[in-house]
Amino acid sequence: MHYIAIFALLVACVFAEESHYSFSPSVGSGSGTSYSITGEGRITAIRVWELYGNHIYGIQVRYGSIWSEVAGYTYSNPIEFELFNDERIIQISGKYAHYIQSMIIVTNKGRSLFVGQPSGHSFNMYATHPDAELRFLSGRYHGGLSAFQAHWAVLDDTEDW
């Protein structure tokens, strides 16, 4: 009986390590209205609004050709980062205090987008699986993004753009 329990535990550990989904813990103060940006297919572009070269005011993601709702607020013109067909977001780092102050979004092709002003505490978000990519975002906003969390997963390559 003990052998069955040990075997079941080992199998569970193996499958847990092979998980194709992971999330990066939330950063920021976490106050305000919650948001979740999701869509179908691969992320193909991202828009970010920053307030007067200061904190992140809003964010929007495009899945295929469809833009999500804006999380947060819009202000003036966004900074837009369009991905190539074989490109995916693999890391997001930056700084936070009460608001998300800055973000650096990095792709598997080595390209990056830098927005906001770096001040506060550092964060670094990335997937635990080497083939995973950014799939959706969640957090809170009021007067700008006050919390940010990244969710990563392996996307089935058979899905079309």
Side-chain angles (χ1 to χ4, degrees), residues 13-32:
C13 289
V14 167
F15 284 118
E17 290 179 17
E18 292 297 318
S19 176
H20 293 189
Y21 172 81
S22 62
F23 70 94
S24 301
S26 184
V27 296
S29 67
S31 59

Side-chain angles (χ1 to χ4, degrees), residues 71-88:
Y73 308 96
T74 62
Y75 171 80
S76 190
N77 294 321
I79 300 166
E80 189 168 320
F81 188 48
E82 186 150 348
L83 302 179
F84 298 129
N85 285 344
D86 57 348
E87 194 170 27
R88 62 188 198 270

Side-chain angles (χ1 to χ4, degrees), residues 53-109:
N54 193 345
H55 64 268
I56 307 302
Y57 203 52
I59 192 165
Q60 185 178 35
V61 175
R62 188 178 74 196
Y63 292 88
S65 61
I66 300 171
W67 284 100
S68 70
E69 294 292 320
V70 174
Y73 308 96
T74 62
Y75 171 80
S76 190
N77 294 321
I79 300 166
E80 189 168 320
F81 188 48
E82 186 150 348
L83 302 179
F84 298 129
N85 285 344
D86 57 348
E87 194 170 27
R88 62 188 198 270
I89 296 170
I90 60 166
Q91 180 182 9
I92 301 174
S93 58
K95 299 271 189 170
Y96 70 95
H98 179 75
Y99 295 112
I100 305 305
Q101 297 297 124
S102 67
M103 297 170 91
I104 303 169
I105 299 168
V106 180
T107 74
N108 63 319
K109 298 295 184 183

